[in-house]
Each structure stands twice: as C-alpha cells, then as structure tokens.
Amino acid sequence: MISNRSRVSSTALRCVIVPIVVTLAGAASAQTSTPAAAGAAIGSDPSPYYIGGSQAFTHDSNAFRIPFGPSDNYSSTSLLAGFDQPFSRQRVFGTASVSLNRYQHQNELNNTSYALLTGLDWATLYKLSGNVSTTLDQQLAAPSASVDAPDATRTLLKRKGVSGLARWGGDSRLSVESRLGYSSQDRSGQSQASNSTNESGSLGAFYQPGTLLKLGVAVRFDRTRAPNALGPDQANDTHGRNIDFLADYNNGNTLTTSGRISYTRQTNTNASNADFSGLTGSLNLGYRATAKISVNLAASRNAGFNAANGAYSPVIVTATPVSASPNGTTATFYENNQVTNAASMGVSYAATAKIGLTGNVHYSRARVVTSSGGVGNSNVGTNATDTSRGAGLGANYAYSR
C-alpha cells in the first residue's frame, strides 16, 4: 500500500505530515484492515468458513504521525478467519483478524491489532426481515486534539458498535425500513480527549418499480458526544439531521449500483465554526467483468471530520502544529473538517478458491475550518485542506475453506 497524506494551511505557515507505506504480500495494511474486507478478497466457495493468513512488510516515513516524526519499518503477521452459515430463512456470519505488528526501531509502537464482526440476518412471517450486527476492533491511531505539539507516544484506538435494521415489505413494491446504531471510540494516553459515543437512527420508505431498480426517501439523525473535545470537561455534542434520496440498481449478474443525495444540517454545541448545511451524497458501482474479476468504484461527499466513503462521522477538533512563527516560537491551531470529498477504485481477482488478489487507489480532500491558537501568532488563517492519496496491492490465502 502506498499513501501520501498532507495537511496544508492556506497561509504561509504550514505543517506537512507525509506517511509513505509500502506493503508486500499482505491482505491489507494490518493496522487498518477490517475482517470483512479480508474475507471478501477470497474467491467465493460453498464452504461456510475459512481460515487464512497474511504477512506484510511496511515502510512508514512518519511512524508517530507528528510533524517531522521519524520513519521506520514494521512487520505485520496476521491470522484471518470467517464463517457464513444459512439456516432456514436466517443467516449467521462472522469475520475476524488479529495482527502482530513489530517495528524495527521504534519498539514503543509495537502492538497487536484486531477486528471482529458478527451478525445475523433474520426473516419471519408477514414480510418482516432485517439484521443485527456487532463490531469490535483495535488499531494504532494518530494523536488527537491538543493545544500543544503532539508527543511521540503510542496511541491505541479501540472501537465497538452495534446496529440493527428492521424491514417490512420483503420483495413487495412498497417497503419500510428502520435503522438504529450505537458506537463508541476510546483512545489511550493523552489522546483520551477524543473519546466519544455516537447514536444514530433512520426511517425510510422504498418503492420498487421493477425487478432491477429500487427508489427511496429517508430521514436520518445522529448525535455524537465528546465530553472532553475542547479540553478537560469542555464537551462538544455534534447533531446531524439528513433527508436522504436513495436509488439502487442491480441487474442480478454483472452490475450493481447504489446512490444517495442528501440535504445535511450539522450543528455543534461548542464548536459553531464547524457547523455545516448543504448537499452531501455517495455513489457506489460494482462491476463483475468475468467470473474471476470484479471492479468497484466509489465517490462521496460527507460532512464531518474524516468522513469516509459510505459513512457519516462526527466532527472532532484536532490541533495541527505549524512551522515556527517569525519570532521563533511554535504556533498551533485547531481545525474542524467541515466536509470531505473522496473517490476510490478497487479491482479483485479470484485466482483460485483459496487465493485472492486485490488492488486499489483512493483520493480524499477535506475542507478544514481553523481558529487561531498557541503562541507567537494569532492569525494562522481560516481555510486549509487535508488531502490523502494512496494505492495498494494485496493477497490473501485461505488455509482451510
């Protein structure tokens, strides 16, 4: 995997953090992969379970994700497992991965990352169906909000969540869906200021004019609570309200697409400069070129800090140190990602039932709102961008499937 990430202020003062990652012979970068992605890379097989592994070697030009941080190499040795078992009209599934990450020089960054996903698809009489899923993962993370320059210390991010979907209508032309979700994230050490919880819910109605197309409209709400977002006991709650217009197309063979256009209004209790009101959306396209080759394209525009494709994330306030100010002191400023535009493309090849190869590229650009802080400079600027580019190659091998 090769990535290039930089954060640049619109003023003359700037901080550039550029991690460069190279991954060899791995399912994915072990510290950022999810078990679902690991399982999907293996070719389809009637066996309800698989067990596999991967080995990755990575060079990172900024191991601590701090200005002018040291580079290092690390090894990730991973075990992968999953199952997918239907019974009657139900289906139970799960995926898991655990990775041992060892650094060549920065031994304090040595860690064990893991990811677990379990779920149940259910269906009953009277056209009722839905699913329930839980997630749990741990990985190395960048430092969080601080009015001072972040220290070269290890930060572990632990996330857990549960979500559910209930649907009435089945394959009828008309259907109604309701979703609920809860998640939390906890960081270690000085980064505990970014600990938060999130609650979300939506209610939508759908119409299926034919066997290939499905149209819908939904209202969606979410709330993120961060008790120490702006400092000790200085909380910030983010409230999101959305009206979604949805469309899905599936020809049942080679092409699947899904799209969303939303009017989004996002407000913050104590960070009003991060409020947002406007259009957001996403588009996903999957194309199966042959029985072994598939291509996926995605594009999105989402509100919130690090708003990745297909997910709405809360605003989190972070401080980015900039270069030394004219009088020799170091200035810092807070930044809130107001909206993030992203695009990605992935290709997968099922070489055999046990071996899968993947390749991907991605790009994202976040518009940032900043407010001055620190010492030595009181006018850092009000506009900045956070850009990320990357490309990767991977391979999975299932020992038993």
Side-chain angles (χ1 to χ4, degrees):
M1 183 180 294
I2 302 172
S3 66
N4 185 330
R5 185 174 180 84
S6 60
R7 180 177 289 119
V8 181
S9 169
S10 60
T11 68
L13 299 177
R14 63 181 59 191
C15 163
V16 180
I17 301 176
V18 185
I20 300 176
V21 182
V22 179
T23 302
L24 304 177
S29 179
Q31 298 193 52
T32 58
S33 64
T34 64
I42 303 296
S44 60
D45 191 280
S47 175
Y49 68 92
Y50 70 88
I51 301 174
S54 72
Q55 176 64 51
F57 300 97
T58 303
H59 173 73
D60 194 332
S61 69
N62 195 327
F64 288 96
R65 297 299 190 271
I66 62 175
F68 316 109
S71 63
D72 203 357
N73 305 305
Y74 67 87
S75 167
S76 298
T77 305
S78 306
L79 293 177
L80 315 170
F83 66 92
D84 189 337
Q85 180 63 62
F87 61 97
S88 183
R89 290 187 293 179
Q90 329 304 323
R91 184 176 72 96
V92 61
F93 58 91
T95 56
S97 67
V98 59
S99 302
L100 192 66
N101 307 293
R102 291 294 179 263
Y103 283 74
Q104 183 177 2
H105 302 295
Q106 309 299 329
N107 294 331
E108 61 269 40
L109 290 177
N110 290 348
N111 70 93
T112 300
S113 58
Y114 57 82
L116 176 67
L117 165 68
T118 59
L120 169 69
D121 291 339
W122 57 268
T124 68
L125 300 175
Y126 309 110
K127 299 181 179 180
L128 293 175
S129 61
N131 62 63
V132 178
S133 64
T134 62
T135 59
L136 176 67
D137 65 67
Q138 173 180 283
Q139 63 186 27
L140 203 63
S144 64
S146 173
V147 295
D148 301 314
D151 295 330
T153 58
R154 187 181 76 166
T155 300
L156 289 177
L157 172 64
K158 294 183 180 180
R159 298 178 298 185
K160 54 187 175 183
V162 59
S163 62
L165 162 68
R167 179 189 300 110
W168 175 85
D171 295 330
S172 303
R173 287 185 178 273
L174 293 175
S175 61
V176 177
E177 294 183 4
S178 178
R179 298 175 184 267
L180 292 174
Y182 173 85
S183 63
S184 66
Q185 68 170 21
D186 299 291
R187 293 173 180 256
S188 62
Q190 66 179 144
S191 294
Q192 293 180 357
S194 290
N195 293 351
S196 65
T197 60
N198 176 267
E199 301 124 22
S200 62
S202 67
L203 179 64
F206 296 85
Y207 174 69
Q208 195 164 340
T211 58
L212 306 182
L213 182 63
K214 183 178 181 180
L215 305 173
V217 60
V219 291
R220 176 165 48 95
F221 305 91
D222 57 79
R223 177 176 60 183
T224 298
R225 299 178 178 180
N228 302 296
L230 306 177
D233 299 321
Q234 299 183 47
N236 181 57
D237 290 356
T238 302
H239 298 263
R241 293 168 290 277
N242 308 267
I243 300 177
D244 300 330
F245 299 92
L246 309 162
D248 293 330
Y249 176 85
N250 187 343
N251 68 4
N253 186 18
T254 60
L255 182 65
T256 60
T257 62
S258 62
R260 171 181 61 84
I261 297 178
S262 305
Y263 176 77
T264 298
R265 179 173 173 79
Q266 176 180 274
T267 58
N268 296 268
T269 55
N270 290 307
S272 60
N273 63 336
D275 292 352
F276 173 80
S277 180
L279 293 178
T280 60
S282 64
L283 177 65
N284 297 275
L285 184 148
Y287 175 67
R288 182 176 291 275
T290 69
K292 292 180 175 290
I293 300 175
S294 60
V295 180
N296 292 280
L297 302 173
S300 66
R301 172 182 169 85
N302 285 312
F305 180 79
N306 280 349
N309 175 57
Y312 177 90
S313 300
V315 168
I316 299 174
V317 181
T318 65
T320 300
V322 296
S323 57
S325 57
N327 63 6
T329 59
T330 299
T332 65
F333 63 95
Y334 287 104
E335 59 180 36
N336 304 283
N337 286 32
Q338 218 180 21
V339 64
T340 298
N341 300 314
S344 63
M345 182 179 73
V347 179
S348 62
Y349 175 70
T352 69
K354 293 179 177 292
I355 299 175
L357 307 176
T358 61
N360 65 82
V361 295
H362 69 82
Y363 171 84
S364 67
R365 181 181 177 88
R367 188 177 72 217
V368 173
V369 177
T370 66
S371 58
S372 303
V375 294
N377 191 333
S378 60
N379 296 294
V380 175
T382 57
N383 294 294
T385 58
D386 188 344
T387 301
S388 175
R389 303 177 182 90
L393 295 173
N396 289 334
Y397 177 75
Y399 300 121
S400 176
R401 188 176 178 96

